[in-house]
Each structure stands twice: as C-alpha cells, then as structure tokens.
Amino acid sequence: MTKMPGKFSRIAIANRGEVAVRIIKACEELGIETVLLHSEADINSRAYRMATKTICIGPAATAESYLNIEANINGALAGGAQAIHPGFGFLSENADFAEAVGKAGLTFIGPSAESIRSLGDKVHCKELAKKAGLPLVPGYQGENQQVPNLITEAERIGYPVIVKAAAGGGGRGMKLIKSSAEAAELIESAQREAQSAFGSPKVFLEKYLDRAKHIEFQIFGDATGNVVHFFDRECSVQRRHQKIIEEATSPSLTEELRRRMGEAACAIATLGKYKGAGTVEFLLQDGEFYLLEVNTRLQVEHPVTEEVLGVDLVKMQILTAQGEYIHDPKMIRVPRGHSIECRIYAENPFLGGVPSTGLLGHVEWPEGPGRRYEYGFDSGDTITPYYDPMIAKVIVWDESRPRAIQKMIHVLKDSVVFGVHTNIPYLIEILSHKEFVMGTMTTRFIETYFADPIKEPELTDTEKKIAAAALAQARGTQQASVTASASASPWMTYWRGI
C-alpha cells in the first residue's frame, strides 16, 4: 500500500468479470461506492450493471484498456475514487502500476511496489528464498539469456526441463522441454511469448518434477506487516499448466508437513515485507516440498479458503489498505470441513476445449446450503473472444471431502447454461475419476487420463425437446420443433450443463 488516507468512500476496480463482481460485493458490505474501469467490450456486463459508477477506459484490446496504466489511473481519478483494487490478472502484479497509483495520490489495494518486485519476479523470489534456506527445484535463474547458454544449462539440469517466464504466471510463456532436439525451438518460443504477455523476454529453467502435487498456502500480511498463513489449497488438477479444480485443505498433507510448509510460506512473505493477500506455491513430490513461486495478489481460488475458515479476504484487503486490519493473536483459525472450486469455461469439451463464444440465452445456478457462485455474466450477456473464457466459479462446502465431491457433481449436473458450450461435462468426469476421489492426483493427472476430448453423450428424445424449446425461447422464434427434428444434436449450438 502506497498511502494510508483513512477510510475509502469510493474504490475503482481495474478489472472485469467475476472478480470485479466479487470486489463490488465486498465494497457494498463495507458501505463503499465503486467505479468500474471497463473496456468497450464489457458494456452491459454484470459488473457494469452493479457498479456505482462506470468509466470506459478504452477498446476491447487489453493493451489499450485493462493493461493501460495511464488509462486506469485517469479513470479512477475521474471517477472520484481514493483507491484502486486490481483484482487478479491484468495489472494486479505490476509493480510499475502500484507505484504509479501511489504517485497519483491514490491507494493501491495490494502489496507495495517493492514487495511485488521482490516476490513477484520469479527469479528474484527464488534468490530471496535461497537466502532464507527454502528448498528450490534444481534449475537456472541466471542473467545469461542467450539460447546456447540456456541449452547448456538445461542439459546440466537434465531433461525433462521446464522453461518459464521470469515475470510470468498462469502458464503463459511456459514450455516443457523433453530432449535437446527441441530445446532451441521451445526456449525461443517461451522468450517470444514472455515478451508478448509480460513485456520481458527473460526466462528461467527448472527440473520438471513428473509426479508432483501443486500445493499452495494463502498468506496474509496485516496493516503492521505481521504475516500469517490461512492454511493450504491443493491445485494439482491442471491443464496446460492452468488450474481447473482447487480444494481446501489439501488431502495430501500430514499435519507435520502442513506445519513445515506453512512456516516456509510465512518466512518468504515476511522477507518480502508483505502486506495484504498473497499465495506461496509449492511442488510436493516424494514427501519433499520445493518453492514454486509467490503470487502477490488475490488468487482465483481464494473462495475455498474463505469457505473452510469463514473469512472474507477481499474485505480484509480493503481494511488493510485503510490501515485497519490487524491479526488477532487470540483468534485461532482452524479449517472446518472441506471446500472445492470448479472453474466454468466457455469451451467445447467434445472438441478438446476450443473456445465457445456467443449469447448466453439462459443461465441458472441451483441454490442450496454449502453452495456459492462467483460469476460475471447473466442471461442475455455475451461471451466475447477478447478475454479469458472463464464465465463462473462454482464453490461447494461440506463436512468431508467425499461429501464435497458428491455435492459438486450434483450441483454441476443441476447448473444450466444455454447459449455456449461449457466444460461442465468435462469437470464431472474429472470429479468422478478414482484418482481424484482418492486424492492421489498429480499435476500430470489431466495429461494422463484426459488428454483426448471426452465423448459427447447420446441425448434422449425428451432432452432434445427441452433443448429445442430453450433454443426457440432464446432466439425468440417458434422454430423449436423444426430444429429438434432436423438436428441429431441441438447441443451443437446450445448446451445444458449436464
């Protein structure tokens, strides 16, 4: 936080979609007005309708809107905000943005620019961790970025090796090198992607752990700089290095291992003088854990932590930025029950996950105890090709992991999304797989069991009639019977989430 101006009366949101809605809700509970800084493509989105005030900051292209530092700051000032919440993605881990926000007389709701530079840069973070004695995956984080040198280092480490963007995250700029024959091409490709996505071609190398679990700890630094952790999440179910399903707490940790990893997470965050919400990510293999990276922002999967601990991380972020949130040492936080989150993507699961855009004819999330939905689109909104295809997050809580799994399957089967394909059938198959049920999945789970598109189910005559009726309603036509009889699969254009 770059400034402590007291309580905020209005906060600008430099983001979109479900995270913008999440921040608006937290602000509403605190009695704070909001200014949504949106692109031309996000007019009439759910966040647009919910915000107190909206300001268009540019066209759909992210470089000209959501990634434009000057446009975001000017929008916040014009909207009368005292602070900016960056959400996740876009500028949320950009130290230059955090610094510029402070220089403009606004408060950045997140860690300081210094902390972002110290921990958010993957290479610098590993150097800091090395000084603190934290275990690291064998690799190369040097300054010599010449391709021949990187190939030499990869061969020293031993294949398979993974090359990652130093300023990256979310799988962008990340390539798996299995042999020397493909090293040069993949390193150059990673450097180009890193330059395009993060503005820096710098990469580093790590030994690829092929039986690892992805475990992360939610850390939080209060207004005084005191850092604690809010336990762990398991995020091993990943496709192309991007998480699909997350849960809290991890079924893979013993209490002794959980204690050691939690202490390591707090140690690196304390070294980075961290304030606000952040996440320390580890790889776990054969009983040993290794620091992966630190994400200096709110995490997409933060709701599962909130569900098992009964906290509101976004409200805590805002209160910390106001200088008000202090950890209470008398409050002992103990995880209760189990929570699972599934990311709902607008994509076709029967064609390998190709994006599916268009009008959302009808959306319905089934209500009930232990169910929570984070979404940025309502019926009648449009999924555009400009941004991440995630349209919602479904979160469940129950008394045990087996019960939470069954609840999630039930909720997904009852969820209704007409107008675009979704990955809901894909998620149900993953949740039903024996390795997921047993909790033994690794980061290669998807690659091993779900490399091919799933098979499209045969529809009953009743389902075809229901789909045809919904199709007609959504299009405002009376052609349902014609469509049902003419197409063997009306779901090719409209999909119900079962």
Side-chain angles (χ1 to χ4, degrees), residues 370-389:
R371 304 172 181 193
R372 170 176 168 178
Y373 305 100
E374 303 278 338
Y375 55 98
F377 301 94
D378 294 314
S379 301
D381 289 342
T382 299
I383 305 298
T384 71
Y386 303 114
Y387 310 113
D388 185 285

Side-chain angles (χ1 to χ4, degrees), residues 381-401:
D381 289 342
T382 299
I383 305 298
T384 71
Y386 303 114
Y387 310 113
D388 185 285
M390 186 172 72
I391 59 175
K393 300 184 305 196
V394 175
I395 303 103
V396 300
W397 178 92
D398 214 312
E399 296 174 356
S400 67
R401 187 172 187 271

Side-chain angles (χ1 to χ4, degrees), residues 32-43:
I32 298 172
E33 295 182 339
T34 51
V35 182
L36 182 71
L37 308 175
H38 65 89
S39 75
E40 293 173 356
D42 279 328
I43 290 176

Side-chain angles (χ1 to χ4, degrees), residues 28 67 94 167 218 253 256 270 294 397 480:
E28 286 177 345
L67 290 176
N94 188 309
Q218 175 71 56
L253 302 186
E256 193 275 337
T270 301
V294 178
W397 178 92

